[in-house]
Amino acid sequence: MVDWLSLAVPLAYLGVLIGSLATFSSLYRKRKAQKSLSLEPWFPAHLQRDVYFSLLHLDPAASSSSTKEKKAPAVPETVLKAALMRRATEDIRRVMALRTQKQALAMLLQRGSVGDDLWQRFQRAEKEMEEEVREVVAEANTYTPNWGQTIFQSANEMLNNIGFRKRMEVHQIKLQEEKDWWAKKRATAQEELMRELDDEKASASKPAAESKPAATATATPTTTETTTDKTATTPAAPISVAGSDDDAVLVEAEEQQQQATETGSAPGTPSGGKKKKKGKK
């Protein structure tokens, strides 16, 4: 016979252990779920999706007044398709953002720069976008068969067109600013040029006015100097002396004596030439 009393203790221990583990796991999962729900979403509210659902579930009877018998017309299909296209465009923008941020976030998580909460928020955003894409494809196929395969391609073209328009607007704003800046710079350059021209005219007129009295003041000394120079440079007129024969002889003797002193001969000795006597004129 089996001794159930001896087996009751280990069975009770196993039951308590399994129960404690089950309660712990359930509490841990609940806390984790509450924590994940309390986390801030990765993206803000999806406005385009809310607009589409509000148009899709719009009740014509509620919008019509009680006094009128006719009901308000339903939302046209073209408006719903346009709203769905805007929703797909926003989905593409968010999917591209997740793809570009995933690699950087994974590297930061490996280095320990960010916590697990941020990674959980990112993973939850990825799951939400996957479900969103599937819903958009299903909604597109309800309007037109096989439209779900091309709706995101059309939405991508719309997104590129929107980005191009934004860049053009930015360039137009910069163009206007540059035009205003260039107009101000040209006006200042013209003012500076006119100011320089005025300064040059004023500086050219001042020396001309100052040179006139200076010329009159310097004219008189130059004339006096020239007169003095002329008087100084004019040689003295030779003095004509009417002499007798004796004076002529004395002059000739003095000349001979001067020549003798220059040649080294003694005074009174003949120089080897015959003397010529001047006669009376």
Side-chain angles (χ1 to χ4, degrees):
M1 293 180 65
V2 179
D3 191 1
W4 294 103
L5 185 60
S6 60
L7 293 175
V9 176
L11 290 174
Y13 176 75
L14 290 174
V16 171
L17 182 61
I18 293 170
S20 61
L21 290 174
T23 54
F24 176 77
S25 62
S26 63
L27 291 174
Y28 178 75
R29 289 176 182 177
K30 287 180 180 179
R31 289 179 181 178
K32 191 175 180 180
Q34 290 178 358
K35 188 176 181 180
S36 62
L37 290 174
S38 63
L39 290 175
E40 185 180 358
W42 191 264
F43 293 109
H46 204 314
L47 182 62
Q48 289 78 6
R49 181 178 59 188
D50 298 339
V51 169
Y52 174 75
F53 281 130
S54 62
L55 292 173
L56 185 64
H57 298 287
L58 187 62
D59 189 6
S63 62
S64 63
S65 61
S66 59
T67 58
K68 295 182 180 180
E69 295 180 356
K70 294 182 180 180
K71 294 182 179 180
V75 179
E77 187 177 352
T78 55
V79 176
L80 293 174
K81 287 182 178 180
L84 185 62
M85 184 66 69
R86 296 293 299 272
R87 179 182 175 185
T89 303
E90 182 63 24
D91 292 340
I92 288 176
R93 187 184 290 109
R94 295 190 177 194
V95 168
M96 291 175 64
L98 289 174
R99 288 179 180 177
T100 54
Q101 295 170 2
K102 185 174 183 179
Q103 186 176 2
L105 186 61
M107 291 178 63
L108 292 174
L109 185 65
Q110 289 178 358
R111 294 176 183 177
S113 300
V114 296
D116 294 334
D117 297 340
L118 190 64
W119 182 250
Q120 289 177 4
R121 287 173 54 195
F122 183 80
Q123 287 181 343
R124 189 177 67 181
E126 281 186 338
K127 292 179 181 179
E128 289 178 356
M129 291 310 303
E130 289 177 0
E131 294 177 358
E132 176 67 18
V133 168
R134 284 195 292 267
E135 289 180 1
V136 169
V137 171
E139 290 288 335
N141 290 326
T142 56
Y143 293 107
T144 304
N146 298 325
W147 188 33
Q149 298 177 0
T150 59
I151 186 172
F152 285 104
Q153 184 177 358
S154 302
N156 190 16
E157 294 177 359
M158 287 180 61
L159 185 62
N160 293 331
N161 191 10
I162 292 170
F164 179 73
R165 287 182 180 179
K166 288 181 179 179
R167 288 194 295 271
M168 286 297 295
E169 290 176 358
V170 171
H171 286 303
Q172 289 294 332
I173 294 170
K174 289 183 179 179
L175 179 63
Q176 188 63 33
E177 292 178 356
E178 289 178 357
K179 282 183 178 179
D180 297 337
W181 176 79
W182 177 249
K184 291 179 181 178
K185 186 176 182 180
R186 184 173 57 185
T188 53
Q190 288 179 356
E191 290 178 359
E192 290 178 358
L193 181 61
M194 295 301 294
R195 194 179 302 158
E196 289 178 0
L197 291 174
D198 295 337
D199 295 340
E200 289 179 358
K201 289 180 180 178
S203 61
S205 61
K206 285 181 180 179
E210 293 175 357
S211 62
K212 291 181 179 180
T216 56
T218 56
T220 53
T222 53
T223 53
T224 56
E225 287 177 0
T226 51
T227 53
T228 54
D229 292 337
K230 287 180 180 179
T231 56
T233 54
T234 52
I239 301 172
S240 61
V241 179
S244 61
D245 295 336
D246 297 332
D247 295 333
V249 172
L250 290 173
V251 170
E252 187 176 1
E254 289 177 359
E255 289 179 355
Q256 289 179 0
Q257 187 177 2
Q258 187 176 1
Q259 289 178 359
T261 54
E262 289 178 357
T263 55
S265 60
T269 59
S271 59
K274 291 182 179 181
K275 297 179 181 180
K276 294 183 181 181
K277 294 181 180 181
K278 293 183 181 181
K280 292 182 180 180
K281 293 181 181 180

